[in-house]
Amino acid sequence: MPARTCIAAETTGYSTGMAGNLRTYRRKRRFDTTSEPRGSDAAPGARWVIQKHAASSLHYDFRIEAEGVLKSWAVPKGPSLDPRDKRLAVPTEDHPLDYAEFEGVIPEGEYGAGTVLVWDTGHYEHLTDEDLDVAEALRRGRVSIWLEGSKLRGGYALTRMGGRDQWLLIKKRDEGSDRRRKPLQKQPKSVLSNSDLDEIAERGPALE
Ligand code: MN
């Protein structure tokens, strides 16, 4: 493969990231200046996490485990419990599984600089089709999963629109849908530390 093709494949991140590697994630970070995990080998189970991320703009990072990594989307408005809401989800690079527990400050000047809070996490069940695994459903651009978390519970659909870089995250109609409950506003704190973004930011970047 010519060198130029290799570079292009690495920088597109998402499209090649479906192969399940962490090259893009690692390339964007300097692990001597950020306390984010470097990423270790795969652990069993199917996890998901939503991290509230106060970076250049506030957004929620939705990540689900597949193929040994966390497949990731940035959701500017965060998840909704209302099936009428369509939430834009923009794919970002695969993250290592241990990123699901990351909460803290990404230093100024680093990729994603800002404060990260674990807003909700748990395990999920794949609902799309019993003959498909999650990774294959994601490649086809349509996946349904049941989230078991502390704040979110129930089915969600992730659907790719047209091209590769825009998806929608939509709550399915089930016992977990609710038009009135607003967990983003009413339950803003971390499920790991019960801290809010300001409290996490005050601790500053902590390197081991
Ligand atoms: Mn983010």
Side-chain angles (χ1 to χ4, degrees):
M1 196 187 288
R4 271 187 76 168
T5 313
C6 293
I7 291 163
E10 276 212 8
T11 50
T12 51
Y14 180 70
S15 48
T16 56
M18 278 309 192
N21 66 69
L22 297 171
R23 276 183 310 167
T24 310
Y25 173 88
R26 291 189 177 119
R27 189 173 48 74
K28 288 185 172 181
R29 284 163 182 80
R30 295 186 296 173
F31 293 101
D32 53 342
T33 54
T34 180
S35 58
E36 297 164 279
R38 192 169 193 291
S40 51
D41 294 334
R47 302 158 73 186
W48 66 275
V49 65
I50 292 177
Q51 282 155 321
K52 188 175 182 179
H53 186 185
S56 50
S57 62
L58 180 73
H59 60 272
Y60 292 81
D61 289 298
F62 182 45
R63 312 186 196 280
I64 64 173
E65 178 176 352
E67 296 187 307
V69 295
L70 295 172
K71 300 293 180 187
S72 301
W73 294 259
V75 184
K77 288 187 173 178
S80 175
L81 302 189
D82 185 342
R84 297 173 303 178
D85 289 338
K86 297 178 171 66
R87 294 291 161 86
L88 177 67
V90 180
T92 58
E93 79 272 23
D94 295 347
H95 277 55
L97 294 179
D98 46 3
Y99 206 90
E101 282 119 48
F102 176 73
E103 180 167 281
V105 175
I106 302 170
E108 276 310 311
E110 300 304 315
Y111 177 72
T115 307
V116 176
L117 172 159
V118 176
W119 185 76
D120 201 7
T121 189
H123 287 80
Y124 73 84
E125 194 181 321
H126 183 217
L127 303 174
T128 314
D129 178 341
E130 58 187 27
D131 296 329
L132 281 185
D133 65 13
V134 175
E136 182 55 27
L138 286 170
R139 274 189 283 274
R140 295 183 185 193
R142 200 174 69 85
V143 65
S144 293
I145 53 179
W146 181 277
L147 302 182
E148 279 289 338
S150 305
K151 299 169 184 171
L152 300 186
R153 183 161 184 277
Y156 279 82
L158 265 169
T159 308
R160 185 167 56 212
M161 300 183 292
R164 286 190 150 263
D165 52 359
Q166 299 214 324
W167 294 57
L168 292 178
L169 176 65
I170 303 173
K171 181 74 195 70
K172 289 177 162 289
R173 288 180 200 279
D174 55 36
E175 66 200 65
S177 43
D178 190 327
R179 291 179 177 185
R180 285 174 301 278
R181 192 162 76 84
K182 306 285 183 204
L184 295 176
Q185 287 79 28
K186 297 286 166 55
Q187 298 167 277
K189 292 186 173 185
S190 165
V191 291
L192 295 188
S193 63
N194 201 35
S195 306
D196 62 24
L197 279 172
D198 289 342
E199 289 165 335
I200 293 167
E202 278 167 22
R203 291 180 219 141
L207 289 172
E208 280 154 38

